[in-house]
């Protein structure tokens, strides 16, 4: 019925598909990021700072599910400055190695990146990212690399403005439900989204109260309400779809917002 229509046009003209939730844009982005090189070290503002300093734009909270990575890989999350003053000094003195905080990672790890958190994805890491639909990014450091002969623009002052110091690690508690045919892990629930991981081996029906649900099949194959799905498929369950039945051997990430 909506074949060929873009998500943006359905969002504009058929808001009922998304539970008539408010907003001038679709609220989430879900991305697969396959980092070939170390990505630049950046930080995002929160909604209040972005609204004031970026023409009413939204800030960005994002989260990462590690799909794959090298052995002994790490990501950059947070910094080691004890307060704002030391942060400023270390940035101005370009003490990047001292400043940057690295976190060892392995497949299946999950991280919530709050606004004001210094972060970067390292080469060889494959992640699934769920984030607020915003593109406000302040680049703090780009490893002094050149692109077409010139360094990419940095946003040092805005970065210093928004970086929270000291960095406080957030310990996410996964709520895990394990039954014979499935395991459901509630990875995060925050103001902007929730993200769950579901592994099914067999058949199970899951409750769904969200106004819409974005699903990404990470592994395996099977079906959802008898429609075949397999690794690499991404789709949205619109409002009114209700509870859904997964069948087969599947790992799925579900991202959505609360009503
Ligand atoms: Zn980011």
């Amino acid at each position: 019925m909506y074949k060929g229509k873009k998500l943006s046009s359905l969002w504009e003209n058929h808001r009922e598909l998304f539970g008539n939730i408010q907003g001038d844009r679709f609220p989430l982005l879900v991305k697969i990021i396959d980092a070939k090189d170390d990505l630049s070290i950046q930080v995002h503002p929160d909604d209040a700072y972005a609204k004031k300093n970026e023409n009413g734009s939204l800030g960005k909270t994002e989260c990462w599910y590690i799909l794959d990575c090298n052995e002994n890989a790490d990501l950059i999350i947070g910094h080691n400055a004890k307060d704002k003053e030391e942060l400023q000094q270390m940035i101005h003195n370009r003490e990047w190695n001292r400043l940057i905080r690295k976190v060892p990672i392995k497949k299946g790890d999950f991280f919530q990146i709050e606004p004001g958190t210094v972060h970067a994805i390292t080469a060889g890491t494959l992640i699934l990212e769920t984030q607020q639909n915003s593109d406000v990014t302040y680049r703090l450091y780009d490893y002094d690399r050149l692109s077409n002969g010139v360094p990419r623009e940095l946003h040092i002052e805005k970065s210093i403005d928004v970086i929270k110091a000291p960095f406080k690690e957030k310990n996410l508690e996964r709520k895990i439900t394990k039954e014979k045919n499935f395991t459901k892990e509630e990875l995060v629930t925050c103001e902007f989204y929730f993200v769950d991981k579901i592994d099914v081996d067999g058949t199970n029906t899951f409750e769904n109260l969200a106004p819409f649900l974005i699903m990404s099949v990470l592994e395996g194959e099977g079906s959802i309400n008898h429609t075949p799905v397999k690794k690499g498929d991404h789709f949205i369950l619109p409002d009114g779809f209700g509870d859904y039945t997964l069948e087969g051997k599947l790992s799925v990430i579900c991202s959505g917002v609360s009503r």
Side-chain angles (χ1 to χ4, degrees), residues 216-234:
S216 306
V217 183
L218 307 183
E219 295 286 349
E221 58 184 310
S223 67
I224 176 160
N225 292 16
H226 304 296
T227 300
V229 293
K230 60 178 189 318
K231 177 177 177 169
D233 286 344
H234 300 264

Side-chain angles (χ1 to χ4, degrees), residues 42-44 60 62 64 113 119 129 131 137:
Q42 46 180 252
V43 61
H44 306 296
K60 197 197 276 193
E62 64 187 49
W64 298 341
I113 311 291
H119 62 281
E129 177 177 79
Q131 56 169 248
T137 294

